[in-house]
Amino acid sequence: MTEAVLLVGGKGTRLQPLTINTPKPMVPAAGVPFLAHQLARAKAAGVDHVVLATSYLAEVFEPYFGDGSAHGLRLTYVHEEEPLGTGGAIRHAARALDAGASDPVLVFNGDILTGLDIRALLLRHERAQADVTLHLTRVADPRAFGLVPTDADGRVLAFTEKPRHPHEIVTDQINAGAYVFRREVIDAIPAGRPVSVERETFPGLLAAEALLHGVVDSSYWLDLGRPASFVQASADLVRGIVHSPAVPGEPGEYLVLPGARVDAGARLGGGTVVGAGAHIAAGAEVEGSVVLDGARVEAGARVRASMVGAGARVGPRTVLDGAVIGDRSEIGADNELCEGARVWCGTAIPDAAIRFSAV
Ligand code: GDD
Ligand code: MG
């Protein structure tokens, strides 16, 4: 039996307004809640029991995923009344695990899309006889992540979460948000108070000379914490650049869900997904974007790398590029919303009210 804890309690602040009514892992990517991709990938790697560590908007997970049987897994929900942080959440969730003291337990951040070979990570953990094994990846700018330098054998030398000073940036290897813990290491995390696994548990284990083993992996990896990366992840899933068994269709340039209407003369591409009940009018172009259920993109609108919320409307000839339109918002005709624009849910923008100029 292989067990995993999935951390899904964060507030997803950087993804607002997508995460005002929906927790980050439930925001749809490539046609299904993002969490469905993580569960499907875990199952494909042989995981059969997943404990969801919930906090923010916890009530929406269970009605969708139930006991997990429809997804071929056993799912258990463990809810924190007050958010306990990453380490506190892992400790709290451990009550639902069956693993014995020396058995491996997988732990995943709930907002990472990766092609990581999960079985290989488990094997490396066993071979190294580590207390904790960490999936690491290399990024161009590591400052927003946990920095994890290792020695030639993969032994973790330090763990610096979101370094503040340039001299702390000693590596481009970062914590990629997937771990294998020996069960008893989880049980040693203090219970009943917030604990950050990144700021407290890992540095504490290193100080106590525990064996933390890092596995640097160069497969696909993306943190979905920001709207641009969320939209990118959805497009990459649709195009099959990263594989998920949960994508409801074959890989291709676009994915149109049952019940959506795309008029002849509309152009879709770049991994766009169009949700149930959505309508793309003739002459509209939608590239690399997520159009959620019941949204409308009207004639001559051009939408690129954007997210159009459920029930929202994008008026005729309006241009969206790198924008997020909250659920039920109404964007009138002839607007331009670009790079990072975020329209809160239920907002009405009149015709020709907003223009974007790069100069
Ligand atoms: N249950 C629960 N309770 N889950 C939580 C809590 C909590 O109090 N706080 C955060 N989480 C979950 C989030 O939902 C997310 O899935 C995961 O823990 C990590 O939290 P983020 O808020 O997304 O952290 P981050 O992206 O700034 O940094 C983390 O991920 C990076 C990789 O993307 C750290 O683990 C970094 O070290 C790492 O590099
Ligand atoms: Mg994150």
Side-chain angles (χ1 to χ4, degrees), residues 8-149:
V8 292
K11 286 198 75 175
T13 313
R14 290 165 294 183
L15 267 189
Q16 285 175 351
L18 302 174
T19 46
I20 290 180
N21 303 310
T22 309
K24 177 163 58 174
M26 293 300 287
V27 176
V32 292
F34 176 67
L35 181 57
H37 301 295
Q38 281 187 311
L39 292 177
R41 288 194 58 93
K43 177 185 151 48
V47 173
D48 41 24
H49 179 210
V50 175
V51 182
L52 290 182
T54 66
S55 172
Y56 177 66
L57 296 174
E59 62 283 2
V60 304
F61 292 98
E62 199 164 352
Y64 187 91
F65 288 104
D67 66 0
S69 51
H71 301 264
L73 288 160
R74 180 157 67 94
L75 281 183
T76 310
Y77 303 84
V78 177
H79 177 63
E80 296 147 47
E81 291 300 330
E82 295 295 326
L84 290 171
T86 47
I90 298 167
R91 172 70 169 91
H92 186 69
R95 65 185 62 197
L97 295 170
D98 297 322
S102 60
D103 290 341
V105 176
L106 285 156
V107 175
F108 299 109
N109 284 357
D111 60 348
I112 303 294
L113 179 61
T114 173
L116 170 73
D117 182 341
I118 296 169
R119 279 180 210 256
L121 191 74
L122 281 164
L123 280 174
R124 296 283 290 271
H125 176 75
E126 269 168 39
R127 210 178 301 153
Q129 300 204 324
D131 294 301
V132 184
T133 298
L134 296 85
H135 171 207
L136 309 179
T137 191
R138 291 201 166 89
V139 293
D141 182 358
R143 285 175 299 178
F145 302 103
L147 265 58
V148 191

Side-chain angles (χ1 to χ4, degrees), residues 137-139 142-143 146-150 158 168-174:
T137 191
R138 291 201 166 89
V139 293
R143 285 175 299 178
L147 265 58
V148 191
T150 50
E168 293 177 307
I169 303 172
V170 294
T171 178
D172 61 354
Q173 288 177 190
I174 61 141

Side-chain angles (χ1 to χ4, degrees), residues 36-351:
H37 301 295
Q38 281 187 311
L39 292 177
R41 288 194 58 93
K43 177 185 151 48
V47 173
D48 41 24
H49 179 210
V50 175
V51 182
L52 290 182
T54 66
S55 172
Y56 177 66
L57 296 174
E59 62 283 2
V60 304
F61 292 98
E62 199 164 352
Y64 187 91
F65 288 104
D67 66 0
S69 51
H71 301 264
L73 288 160
R74 180 157 67 94
L75 281 183
T76 310
Y77 303 84
V78 177
H79 177 63
E80 296 147 47
E81 291 300 330
E82 295 295 326
L84 290 171
T86 47
I90 298 167
R91 172 70 169 91
H92 186 69
R95 65 185 62 197
L97 295 170
D98 297 322
S102 60
D103 290 341
V105 176
L106 285 156
V107 175
F108 299 109
N109 284 357
D111 60 348
I112 303 294
L113 179 61
T114 173
L116 170 73
D117 182 341
I118 296 169
R119 279 180 210 256
L121 191 74
L122 281 164
L123 280 174
R124 296 283 290 271
H125 176 75
E126 269 168 39
R127 210 178 301 153
Q129 300 204 324
D131 294 301
V132 184
T133 298
L134 296 85
H135 171 207
L136 309 179
T137 191
R138 291 201 166 89
V139 293
D141 182 358
R143 285 175 299 178
F145 302 103
L147 265 58
V148 191
T150 50
D151 72 10
D153 299 324
R155 188 181 185 116
V156 173
L157 301 172
F159 194 111
T160 309
E161 182 68 8
K162 303 193 178 89
R164 296 241 187 103
H165 305 289
H167 72 263
E168 293 177 307
I169 303 172
V170 294
T171 178
D172 61 354
Q173 288 177 190
I174 61 141
N175 169 24
Y179 321 111
V180 188
F181 275 79
R182 184 151 14 90
R183 162 71 194 255
E184 61 197 353
V185 176
I186 295 179
D187 293 334
I189 297 173
R193 68 161 170 89
V195 177
S196 161
V197 79
E198 298 88 350
R199 294 180 194 278
E200 182 175 339
T201 309
F202 292 146
L205 285 166
L206 287 171
E209 295 186 353
L211 177 57
L212 270 58
H213 184 71
V215 175
V216 184
D217 178 274
S218 57
S219 55
Y220 184 99
W221 185 86
L222 201 58
D223 174 322
L224 277 60
R226 291 175 186 281
S229 50
F230 197 94
V231 171
Q232 172 84 49
S234 178
D236 289 345
L237 283 162
V238 168
R239 292 193 291 174
I241 290 172
V242 57
H243 173 70
S244 157
V247 175
E250 293 302 312
E253 281 305 295
Y254 54 84
L255 173 65
V256 176
L257 297 185
R261 190 153 63 90
V262 179
D263 289 351
R267 288 225 330 251
L268 303 179
T272 288
V273 54
V274 183
H279 177 210
I280 314 292
E285 280 180 32
V286 188
E287 176 79 13
S289 294
V290 179
V291 179
L292 292 180
D293 291 0
R296 281 180 295 153
V297 178
E298 300 196 345
R302 279 187 291 134
V303 177
R304 203 192 70 83
S306 295
M307 184 117 179
V308 181
R313 181 176 79 94
V314 179
R317 297 171 305 280
T318 278
V319 175
L320 304 180
D321 193 345
V324 176
I325 308 302
D327 296 345
R328 300 176 314 283
S329 290
E330 300 268 339
I331 315 296
D334 301 302
N335 284 290
E336 289 176 22
L337 289 116
C338 296
E339 295 314 316
R342 294 192 276 172
V343 176
W344 246 240
C345 302
T347 306
I349 296 183
D351 291 351

